[in-house]
Amino acid sequence: MDDTEKSPPFGTIIRAKNGDVLGYDSTGLLMVLSDSVIENIAERLPEKGSASTDWIDPRILGNVDAWDIRRSGEWLLFHANLEGQQGIRQFRRLEHPKDADSAPSIFADGAGPLLGVLSLGGPRRATTFETKLKFPWHVLAPADEIGAAGYAGTETAAVESTLQRVPEMTRDTALSDAIVARQHRAHEALSLLVTRTETDSSSSISDFVSGAAYENFLTAIKSLKAAADRLNRPAALYAIGLDFALEDVWSDPSTYQYGIFALVAQITADIAKLNMRCPPILAHFDCGTHHISDHPILRAQTELAWQGATHGLCYTAPSYMFKQDRFGRPDSASLANMAEIDACALEALHDDKEWLCPTFLLAEREANDCQIRVRARALSDLVIDKNDPFGSGACCGFSLSGADNAPELVDVSVCADDPQDIILTFDKAPTGSALEVLYAFGQDLERADVDFPSACGSVRDTWAFETEQNVVLHRWAMPAAIPVW
């Protein structure tokens, strides 16, 4: 065939005994592959675990309003219209988890890292209520059938990589719910959060540091990481709660203070060993109960309140602003308010801003011997709330101890020349060698019809936040016991 002749439209280049191997046609080269080669390609493309486009009956999920079911590895991904305020969105569920003891749980396909909101403390921290969350598919716990309230120090937790919805409201689930609610109102990406509260019955800070609650707390962090790995996303700690004060019945104030700082340092170090960053550690200033208005451990918190921030510990609120029962436990409305103010603090701290309730640091005599100036550190001007919502009385929560001439406190006012100072005016000049100004300590235990802790006050700053329940929260001043100079 010379150069002027056209090539045939098809032909064979290589032929074997069992047929053509390489040929051509008008489109180019043609290759015939063996069955073994085809099987090898099938194993590689598409990759195992990739999403399937085959139709899946939504009844595989049970009787839920779901559609667009597809597989992605061991997960079922789908859209659904489920209870809660999150609206129609994408959810996920493990299809056939071999390592789960119970039926797999549906939860939201939240954005970003899997966030941990974890806490440890005494028995009061594990207070729970059968209250529905606003975003129940975004707030989860390790799937060990224990729920969000943890093991209470009675058993040793195991690492879990599966997650389940929480059946109750705790401090941590309420906080997580509040975080998602704020994201939802701001039209931001909704997070997926894992919660767990671990407590035990330790009676001293030294026992608590090495107790069952702490070990289970570390296991909860490991479960967070394992669950994140299974979701193929990073894990991050968003908040840690610390709630251990009146539970300590053995330590002196100094031992308690140093014990708390040592615990915070240990938490930070152990989290670093897990290649994670320690988040803000939050606490409420324990103001006692209906029956305890003063106690050495309560007073020991005063130094923690103003020094804690340098150690990574943030006191977000004094507990006198929350109603409680006779056992010192908050009611469900108060628990929700605790979560809201903690969420406000976290929002500031994660934005590298400061969060500080007014903290009294110094008390000194004025030129007028009948007056004592109490100096505070606050993020805005001080306010004496005339509504006195907690029943602190005409003295606004202030009193004077150590006087030998029984002076009467006749006026409490914000200082005109410095709105972060309080002026206490007495009917006569206080005398005594160990004068001490008290705020929110040692008050009347017999107040009628008041459900707040007996130690309280009516001083706050100008900050305010209105919750979805139309409750206005303020940054109320921390209790204080300050010597007079």
Side-chain angles (χ1 to χ4, degrees), residues 45-227:
L45 299 173
E47 184 179 340
K48 285 185 176 180
S50 65
S52 171
T53 58
D54 295 339
W55 182 83
I56 302 172
D57 191 333
R59 286 179 295 182
I60 192 174
L61 301 169
N63 189 18
V64 297
D65 185 10
W67 60 93
D68 189 24
I69 321 292
R70 62 247 189 239
R71 288 186 176 88
S72 180
E74 62 178 341
W75 296 96
L76 294 174
L77 302 180
F78 54 95
H79 288 84
N81 180 24
L82 303 178
E83 64 174 319
Q85 296 183 14
Q86 72 285 330
I88 297 172
R89 60 187 306 108
Q90 181 164 285
F91 297 84
R92 66 168 58 219
R93 197 202 77 181
L94 285 168
E95 185 172 9
H96 299 296
K98 297 178 181 179
D99 55 349
D101 295 329
S102 59
S105 182
I106 292 172
F107 54 87
D109 200 27
L114 185 64
L115 299 179
V117 175
L118 311 174
S119 68
L120 68 165
R124 286 187 295 168
R125 178 73 192 200
T127 300
T128 63
F129 296 95
E130 293 182 2
T131 303
K132 288 186 177 182
L133 302 180
K134 297 185 287 291
F135 296 88
W137 313 97
H138 289 263
V139 182
L140 310 170
D144 49 15
E145 296 302 312
I146 296 299
Y151 286 85
T154 60
E155 296 181 47
T156 300
V159 176
E160 295 282 345
S161 66
T162 54
L163 299 170
Q164 64 183 156
R165 290 178 59 194
V166 294
E168 67 273 315
M169 182 171 77
T170 65
R171 285 271 299 275
D172 297 322
T173 62
L175 173 55
S176 300
D177 204 38
I179 291 167
V180 180
R182 288 163 188 250
Q183 295 171 339
H184 187 259
R185 288 196 298 271
H187 301 283
E188 298 173 347
L190 304 189
S191 297
L192 195 63
L193 300 107
V194 176
T195 69
R196 177 53 63 90
T197 301
E198 290 295 352
T199 62
D200 63 27
S201 298
S202 296
S203 56
S204 70
I205 187 62
S206 58
D207 290 341
F208 185 63
V209 168
S210 58
Y214 189 76
E215 289 303 314
N216 286 341
F217 164 76
L218 293 181
T219 300
I221 299 175
K222 296 173 184 176
S223 293
L224 171 71
K225 287 173 63 69

Side-chain angles (χ1 to χ4, degrees), residues 178-481:
I179 291 167
V180 180
R182 288 163 188 250
Q183 295 171 339
H184 187 259
R185 288 196 298 271
H187 301 283
E188 298 173 347
L190 304 189
S191 297
L192 195 63
L193 300 107
V194 176
T195 69
R196 177 53 63 90
T197 301
E198 290 295 352
T199 62
D200 63 27
S201 298
S202 296
S203 56
S204 70
I205 187 62
S206 58
D207 290 341
F208 185 63
V209 168
S210 58
Y214 189 76
E215 289 303 314
N216 286 341
F217 164 76
L218 293 181
T219 300
I221 299 175
K222 296 173 184 176
S223 293
L224 171 71
K225 287 173 63 69
D229 289 342
R230 197 163 187 175
L231 286 165
N232 194 28
R233 65 175 67 187
L237 288 166
Y238 194 76
I240 291 174
L242 178 57
D243 196 353
F244 190 82
L246 279 178
E247 291 80 5
D248 192 326
V249 297
W250 295 108
S251 303
D252 59 70
S254 179
T255 300
Y256 174 78
Q257 290 170 0
Y258 286 112
I260 290 293
F261 285 141
L263 175 59
V264 171
Q266 182 173 318
I267 290 171
T268 303
D270 286 340
I271 288 174
K273 292 176 184 176
L274 296 172
N275 296 317
M276 300 183 75
R277 172 179 285 185
C278 188
I281 300 175
L282 309 182
H284 286 179
F285 195 117
D286 191 342
C287 299
T289 68
H290 295 180
H291 312 291
I292 301 174
S293 65
D294 202 347
H295 189 279
I297 294 299
L298 298 183
R299 291 198 181 202
Q301 296 170 103
T302 57
E303 188 168 343
L304 297 175
W306 66 267
Q307 280 195 15
T310 59
H311 295 262
L313 176 65
C314 177
Y315 276 80
T316 61
S319 72
Y320 68 71
M321 64 182 287
F322 307 111
K323 286 186 178 182
Q324 60 177 221
D325 63 18
R326 63 191 181 93
F327 301 107
R329 296 176 182 267
D331 60 20
S332 59
S334 292
L335 191 145
N337 291 334
M338 289 177 170
E340 290 286 1
I341 202 160
D342 283 353
C344 290
L346 280 171
E347 196 171 80
L349 295 171
H350 280 286
D351 287 341
D352 293 325
K353 298 177 182 177
E354 191 174 13
W355 179 269
L356 177 72
C357 292
T359 304
F360 296 111
L361 302 173
L362 180 67
E364 52 191 0
R365 294 179 183 272
E366 289 287 270
N368 179 349
D369 288 343
C370 292
Q371 292 184 330
I372 294 176
R373 179 186 291 253
V374 185
R375 298 186 182 274
R377 181 167 181 263
L379 298 182
S380 63
D381 295 347
L382 298 184
V383 175
I384 297 175
D385 196 310
K386 296 180 180 179
N387 294 323
D388 190 19
F390 316 118
S392 61
C395 294
C396 308
F398 286 97
S399 61
L400 184 70
S401 68
D404 53 23
N405 61 338
E408 181 182 352
L409 181 57
V410 295
D411 184 70
V412 179
S413 59
V414 176
C415 183
D417 60 24
D418 190 336
Q420 291 197 4
D421 290 353
I422 295 290
I423 298 295
L424 306 180
T425 303
F426 297 86
D427 63 343
K428 54 188 171 184
T431 61
S433 59
L435 295 178
E436 187 177 46
V437 169
L438 303 179
Y439 174 77
F441 278 128
Q443 288 148 307
D444 184 11
L445 297 177
E446 303 300 328
R447 294 177 299 159
D449 301 323
V450 177
D451 295 327
F452 297 93
S454 55
C456 60
S458 58
V459 179
R460 58 177 174 83
D461 64 12
T462 58
W463 178 88
F465 177 81
E466 185 172 357
T467 70
E468 285 189 318
Q469 291 73 38
N470 300 317
V471 176
V472 178
L473 301 175
H474 296 286
R475 282 192 299 236
W476 295 93
M478 295 293 189

